Amino acid sequence: MLPSYLMLAAILFCIGLYGALTKRNAVIVLISIELMLNAVNLNLVAFAKYGALPSLTGQVFTLFTISVAAAEVAVGIAILIALFRLKGTVQADEFDEMRR
Amino acid sequence: MFTGDLSGELIAFFILAAFTITGAVLMLTLTKVVHMVLSLAAVFIGLAGMYVVLEAEFVAFVQVLIYAGAVSILMVFGIMMTKHQEDQGRPAGRMPEVLGLLAAVSLLGILFYAIRSTAFPAAAQVEQAEDNTLEIGKLLFTQHVIPFELVSVLLTVAFIGAIMLARKETDE
């Protein structure tokens, strides 16, 4: 059963990677990153049940990942709002100050 | 890979996997940003069901609370505060799209090959705790108490920082 869960997580991760690389709206990029984080969480929980040494530590680690991801989303959205006030857009390829 | 007998877990896994992947693909293909967030919420709920199948009820509950609740609402707020056009704007050029697809597909291929060619050792038969949540609470406050407290500090710092970043600067 473990490889099936790993495959599902890999598919979700790759969908998130594709979205993060190609979407131009910065909110959608953040959403795609959340999708990738969720795929990793699924791996952790699957290994917590089907790994060589099943234990609850994987689930505890998942809880920590979820809280760090929540903090990341809050800061990301705040940065986006501040950038939107400054530039009037959320298109990721127009944030190019550091390239000039 | 699919050699188990058709148990209840397998059926639940396939239903939830179809639900989750459908949500994820819709997230990529829909054009309106709000619809994308809705399909993302569907992915989160599908994953919560997956955690229930994996006997991680507390993680499933946290997933629904934090992801399907808080993160989705935060994304909707982010769209409300920043959006000025309905859809996500003109699509990206051909070149980044092709390169992104290439990167994602090649990574999927590598992962698929790695998963197929690894012999996973059979799980040692450890009796799962009867009361999952109680055991997680005990672990959090004994073995993992320092990371637990650090996470609370991290959350406080992150949310104060978010407020400071998003605040309107009125005093010029």
Side-chain angles (χ1 to χ4, degrees), chain B residues 78-92:
Chain B
I79 290 164
M80 272 167 49
M81 304 281 274
T82 57
K83 187 185 64 170
H84 47 125
Q85 75 269 38
E86 268 277 282
D87 54 3
Q88 53 152 347
R90 64 179 196 281

Side-chain angles (χ1 to χ4, degrees), chain B residues 63-82:
Chain B
Q63 167 92 5
V64 171
L65 266 183
I66 305 285
Y67 274 114
V71 169
S72 305
I73 296 297
L74 205 60
M75 289 294 179
V76 171
F77 267 108
I79 290 164
M80 272 167 49
M81 304 281 274
T82 57

Side-chain angles (χ1 to χ4, degrees), chain A residues 45-87:
Chain A
V45 177
F47 272 112
K49 187 177 179 202
Y50 290 112
L53 286 171
S55 72
L56 280 178
T57 315
Q59 296 184 22
V60 174
F61 202 84
T62 309
L63 294 177
F64 287 135
T65 322
I66 288 176
S67 41
V68 173
E72 176 247 323
V73 172
V75 175
I77 290 282
I79 291 175
L80 270 188
I81 290 174
L83 265 176
F84 178 71
R85 287 225 184 88
L86 193 68
K87 306 203 55 146

Side-chain angles (χ1 to χ4, degrees), chain A residues 1-85 88-91 93-94, chain B residues 1-2 9-10 13 17 20-21 24-25 27-30 33 36-37 40 43-44 47 50-51 53-59 62-63 66-67 71 74-75 77-79 81-85 87-92 96-97 99-101 103-104 107-108 111-112 115 120-124 126 128-129 132 135-136 139-140 144 147-148 151 154-155 158-159 161-163 165-168:
Chain A
M1 212 48 211
L2 181 61
S4 316
Y5 286 105
L6 295 188
M7 247 351 267
L8 175 67
I11 291 170
L12 281 182
F13 189 91
C14 290
I15 290 175
L17 180 70
Y18 175 73
L21 286 178
T22 56
K23 296 293 178 183
R24 290 177 70 252
N25 190 327
V27 179
I28 304 302
V29 174
L30 267 183
I31 287 177
S32 305
I33 291 172
E34 286 306 306
L35 200 61
M36 293 160 78
L37 282 168
N38 263 286
V40 174
N41 284 345
L42 180 63
N43 265 4
L44 289 174
V45 177
F47 272 112
K49 187 177 179 202
Y50 290 112
L53 286 171
S55 72
L56 280 178
T57 315
Q59 296 184 22
V60 174
F61 202 84
T62 309
L63 294 177
F64 287 135
T65 322
I66 288 176
S67 41
V68 173
E72 176 247 323
V73 172
V75 175
I77 290 282
I79 291 175
L80 270 188
I81 290 174
L83 265 176
F84 178 71
R85 287 225 184 88
T89 179
V90 284
Q91 304 297 316
D93 52 2
E94 292 182 24
Chain B
M1 185 166 172
F2 302 120
E9 183 187 359
L10 204 63
F13 172 81
T20 310
I21 292 179
V25 171
M27 201 275 287
L28 284 183
T29 52
L30 287 174
V33 184
M36 289 174 159
V37 176
L40 184 79
V43 174
F44 289 158
L47 279 174
M50 206 66 93
Y51 295 155
V53 174
L54 281 168
E55 295 175 12
E57 290 87 3
F58 183 66
V59 180
V62 168
Q63 167 92 5
I66 305 285
Y67 274 114
V71 169
L74 205 60
M75 289 294 179
F77 267 108
I79 290 164
M81 304 281 274
T82 57
K83 187 185 64 170
H84 47 125
Q85 75 269 38
D87 54 3
Q88 53 152 347
R90 64 179 196 281
E97 203 142 299
L99 282 180
L101 190 66
L107 179 66
L108 185 65
L111 286 176
F112 184 71
I115 291 171
F120 293 102
V126 174
Q128 287 277 357
N132 202 294
E135 294 302 319
I136 286 180
L139 268 183
L140 268 184
H144 304 284
F148 181 73
V151 159
L154 171 81
L155 281 176
F159 290 140
I163 292 170
L165 277 173
R167 196 183 47 146
K168 252 198 193 100

